[in-house]
Amino acid sequence: MAAESQRTTTVSSTVEDYLKVVLKIEDMKQRASTSRVARHLDVADATVTDMLRKLKKAGLLEYKPYYGATLTRKGRRMAVRMLRRHRLLEMFLHQVLGYGWEQVHQEAERLEHAVSDLFISRIDALLDYPAQDPHGEAIPDARGFRQVEDDLCLAEAEPGSYIIRKVTNSEAEFLAYLDKVGLRPAIRFSLQEKAPFQGPLKLLPEGGREPVYLGLEASGSIFVVPLKQRPPAPLPEGAASRQAGDRPGRATEKEEA
Amino acid sequence: MAAESQRTTTVSSTVEDYLKVVLKIEDMKQRASTSRVARHLDVADATVTDMLRKLKKAGLLEYKPYYGATLTRKGRRMAVRMLRRHRLLEMFLHQVLGYGWEQVHQEAERLEHAVSDLFISRIDALLDYPAQDPHGEAIPDARGFRQVEDDLCLAEAEPGSYIIRKVTNSEAEFLAYLDKVGLRPAIRFSLQEKAPFQGPLKLLPEGGREPVYLGLEASGSIFVVPLKQRPPAPLPEGAASRQAGDRPGRATEKEEA
DNA sequence: CCCCATTTTTAGATCAGTCTAATAAATTAC
DNA sequence: GTAATTTATTAGACTGATCTAAAAATGGGG
């Protein structure tokens, strides 16, 4: 019954969504400008201007007109908490309720605002404190610590052997496609060719019958770890995404809260 | 993957709450008057007047000014669906996540608006299609059929031997108290005395060391089945509330949808 | 049948989150 | 370094759910 971070302030699910988006943008090393936030949330720019001002007043982020937002410590804490909830819920839906990895995102998107901290700590225990979600993304721990995720983007990889670490794109159709061609976290493949000028990549997945050709959208959202001479130990059974601990490409912990 | 009732209209969770309350009041054979609905939802009467008019326009209930509301077939279908979701979620929280029966209501109250039909059908299967929730209340099936619940209210019972069928009061403190004195669904007890003029009941629960004295609030929300010469077969293990099928006091099915 | 207490509705307002259209600031291009 | 383009903010309005306070209908008791 590990204590989940006890809320100090209660905010609407709308606020939670804004914070999540700002965190996501900051994680991509981009400026959280009004329009960028608006695009992520699919609302009008004017709406975001208003809301960022409110969030600033609530002490959740800094806001500079004509520039954009930066999370404060408090805002970041809340955003990371949502990330943890989202990813734990995805893992729960996948492992316990048998959802496909392309189905988990949408459901978690609603549940993350509705479940209690008790619910979260119970599924955390039930899943035996998973470190990754079904897409291979790291789950922040209950204290708000996050693994540094410095994996190599497939779009930047050179020909060679790799293992898929994570896929950062939650569109169901896209994930269903990857699944169909045999690309999932923990799957090994060899990158055989890169056509020039951002052309398609040719790669051969592990069980490989057919080669697969991927364009920019796909290769930009797949992150990999190069397979060394000594390939990583076989993964614990149970799930494509239940890998634990330290492997090349995963650095140690980093404070967040 | 049994098909959950596919939504035709999508409504806000507020609307869902109004429908639930009207159903609850109708189930108690009372008139769903403005003020009664308002009390259940803890909102002002004026708010209810407005909302009932909207719900009438949406075809979810009939509304007669200065009289009150009556669910239409469509409104009833939606209300029963919420009842099913709520009770299945309670059972899930109790059986899978280890919630106490006094904890499940509050969490289910939020989740019932957030989970998808897929979620509901998955937990239904996981729980092996339970017929009762942790309080012993019948769970409507996926088609909207409900068991007729004609159990005897403890407040109206005569001295004798009984088995607790259900407890209809979701206040956590109240349930925690009942639990402490050993009163739970499927528990046998003997009603020893009834003090006159709605006075306290004296009863001795199954494992009975001490007698327990109950006032009106308690005895009015406990429903029982008299124990005949031939007491009901021992219940399947696993849960206080996993009893299945036909026993005295439970009638057969009744169409709802 | 009329008055009074209760219940209900009406009227008017608020709040959060959103929109569109118009204006203004910032940035880029030449 | 000014003009054109892009980005952001302001202004004004809407919707859904709620409130309070005032007015109106209902339903008994005499």
Side-chain angles (χ1 to χ4, degrees):
Chain A
M1 209 170 297
E4 285 297 316
S5 50
Q6 57 299 333
R7 233 59 333 281
T8 48
T9 323
T10 303
V11 299
S12 69
S13 69
T14 307
V15 166
E16 291 173 339
D17 283 336
Y18 276 82
L19 294 176
K20 277 173 54 187
V21 162
V22 175
L23 178 64
K24 186 172 178 182
I25 294 172
E26 289 186 353
D27 278 352
M28 294 188 297
K29 315 286 183 209
Q30 293 180 317
R31 175 167 66 93
S33 65
T34 302
S35 58
R36 195 124 52 194
V37 172
R39 250 176 288 126
H40 276 85
L41 288 168
D42 196 29
V43 297
D45 290 7
T47 309
V48 174
T49 301
D50 274 17
M51 188 53 106
L52 292 185
R53 267 209 297 258
K54 283 183 208 161
L55 298 186
K56 180 196 168 104
K57 194 172 320 170
L60 296 168
L61 44 76
E62 289 309 317
Y63 167 60
K64 283 276 232 297
Y66 296 101
Y67 176 79
T70 318
L71 291 173
T72 59
R73 208 176 284 107
K74 183 176 169 195
R76 173 165 296 262
R77 206 187 322 111
M78 294 186 53
V80 171
R81 172 174 176 265
M82 295 314 292
L83 207 57
R84 168 170 165 78
R85 303 182 132 235
H86 184 92
R87 292 179 181 173
L88 266 178
L89 282 163
E90 287 193 340
M91 199 61 177
F92 166 77
L93 295 169
H94 182 58
Q95 301 280 299
V96 179
L97 300 189
Y99 278 56
W101 76 329
E102 79 288 356
Q103 298 178 297
V104 296
H105 177 77
Q106 201 194 359
E107 184 99 43
E109 202 65 17
R110 275 171 290 109
L111 290 182
E112 65 188 8
H113 305 295
V115 302
S116 68
D117 286 346
L118 177 61
F119 189 103
I120 290 295
S121 67
R122 289 290 164 93
I123 66 174
D124 191 27
L126 186 64
L127 294 166
D128 199 21
Y129 312 101
Q132 277 94 37
D133 75 11
H135 309 106
E137 305 218 63
I139 299 175
D141 72 19
R143 290 123 57 216
F145 285 82
R146 304 167 70 187
Q147 269 188 342
V148 173
E149 308 191 43
D150 54 357
D151 304 308
L152 176 66
C153 182
L154 179 54
E156 264 111 51
E158 294 306 315
S161 282
Y162 296 93
I163 186 165
I164 297 183
R165 169 67 74 184
K166 70 182 179 195
V167 177
T168 62
N169 178 330
S170 35
E171 284 171 64
E173 314 76 48
F174 175 74
L175 293 175
Y177 167 71
L178 285 193
D179 212 71
K180 205 185 61 182
V181 300
L183 298 175
R184 280 181 298 282
I187 289 286
R188 273 163 264 239
F189 69 90
S190 70
L191 174 56
Q192 308 196 303
E193 281 175 45
K194 291 184 78 164
F197 306 114
Q198 319 253 54
L201 312 196
K202 178 182 179 186
L203 43 88
L204 197 64
E206 194 155 41
R209 312 144 275 269
E210 305 278 296
V212 178
Y213 296 85
L214 297 181
L216 239 194
E217 192 187 343
S219 62
S221 59
I222 296 176
F223 290 79
V224 299
V225 179
L227 270 184
K228 301 292 162 56
Q229 281 53 21
R230 214 173 346 100
L235 300 166
E237 90 309 326
S241 15
R242 283 288 289 288
Q243 327 103 347
D246 320 270
R247 270 210 234 61
R250 278 287 142 133
T252 40
E253 296 204 327
K254 171 192 166 195
E255 170 103 47
E256 276 294 343
Chain B
M1 208 170 296
E4 283 300 316
S5 51
Q6 57 300 329
R7 234 54 336 279
T8 49
T9 323
T10 303
V11 300
S12 68
S13 68
T14 307
V15 166
E16 291 173 340
D17 283 337
Y18 277 81
L19 295 175
K20 276 173 54 186
V21 162
V22 176
L23 178 64
K24 186 173 176 181
I25 294 171
E26 290 185 352
D27 277 352
M28 293 189 297
K29 316 284 184 211
Q30 293 180 317
R31 176 168 65 94
S33 66
T34 303
S35 58
R36 194 125 51 195
V37 172
R39 250 175 288 127
H40 276 86
L41 288 168
D42 195 30
V43 297
D45 290 6
T47 308
V48 174
T49 301
D50 273 19
M51 188 54 107
L52 292 185
R53 266 211 298 260
K54 282 184 209 160
L55 297 186
K56 180 196 169 105
K57 194 173 320 170
L60 296 168
L61 43 76
E62 290 309 319
Y63 167 61
K64 284 274 234 300
Y66 296 100
Y67 176 79
T70 317
L71 290 173
T72 60
R73 209 176 283 106
K74 184 177 169 193
R76 175 165 295 263
R77 207 190 318 113
M78 293 185 53
V80 171
R81 172 175 176 265
M82 293 316 291
L83 207 58
R84 168 169 165 77
R85 302 182 133 235
H86 184 92
R87 293 180 179 173
L88 265 178
L89 282 164
E90 287 193 342
M91 199 60 177
F92 166 77
L93 295 169
H94 182 57
Q95 301 280 300
V96 180
L97 299 189
Y99 278 54
W101 77 329
E102 79 288 355
Q103 297 179 297
V104 297
H105 178 76
Q106 199 193 1
E107 184 98 44
E109 203 64 17
R110 275 172 289 110
L111 289 182
E112 65 188 10
H113 305 295
V115 303
S116 68
D117 286 346
L118 177 61
F119 190 104
I120 290 296
S121 67
R122 289 291 165 91
I123 66 175
D124 191 27
L126 185 64
L127 295 166
D128 200 21
Y129 313 101
Q132 277 94 36
D133 75 11
H135 309 106
E137 304 220 62
I139 299 174
D141 73 18
R143 291 124 54 220
F145 285 84
R146 303 167 69 186
Q147 269 188 341
V148 174
E149 308 190 43
D150 55 358
D151 304 309
L152 176 65
C153 183
L154 179 53
E156 265 110 53
E158 293 306 315
S161 282
Y162 296 94
I163 184 164
I164 296 183
R165 169 67 74 185
K166 70 183 180 195
V167 177
T168 62
N169 178 331
S170 35
E171 282 171 65
E173 314 74 48
F174 176 75
L175 294 175
Y177 167 71
L178 286 193
D179 212 72
K180 205 185 60 183
V181 301
L183 298 175
R184 280 181 297 283
I187 289 286
R188 270 163 267 239
F189 69 92
S190 69
L191 174 56
Q192 308 197 304
E193 285 176 40
K194 288 186 80 165
F197 307 114
Q198 318 252 57
L201 312 196
K202 179 181 179 188
L203 43 87
L204 197 65
E206 191 153 44
R209 311 146 274 272
E210 304 278 298
V212 178
Y213 296 86
L214 296 181
L216 240 194
E217 193 187 344
S219 62
S221 59
I222 295 176
F223 290 79
V224 300
V225 180
L227 270 183
K228 303 290 161 56
Q229 282 50 21
R230 216 176 340 102
L235 300 165
E237 88 311 323
S241 15
R242 283 287 289 289
Q243 326 104 344
D246 321 86
R247 268 207 236 65
R250 278 286 143 133
T252 40
E253 298 205 326
K254 170 191 166 195
E255 170 104 47
E256 276 292 343

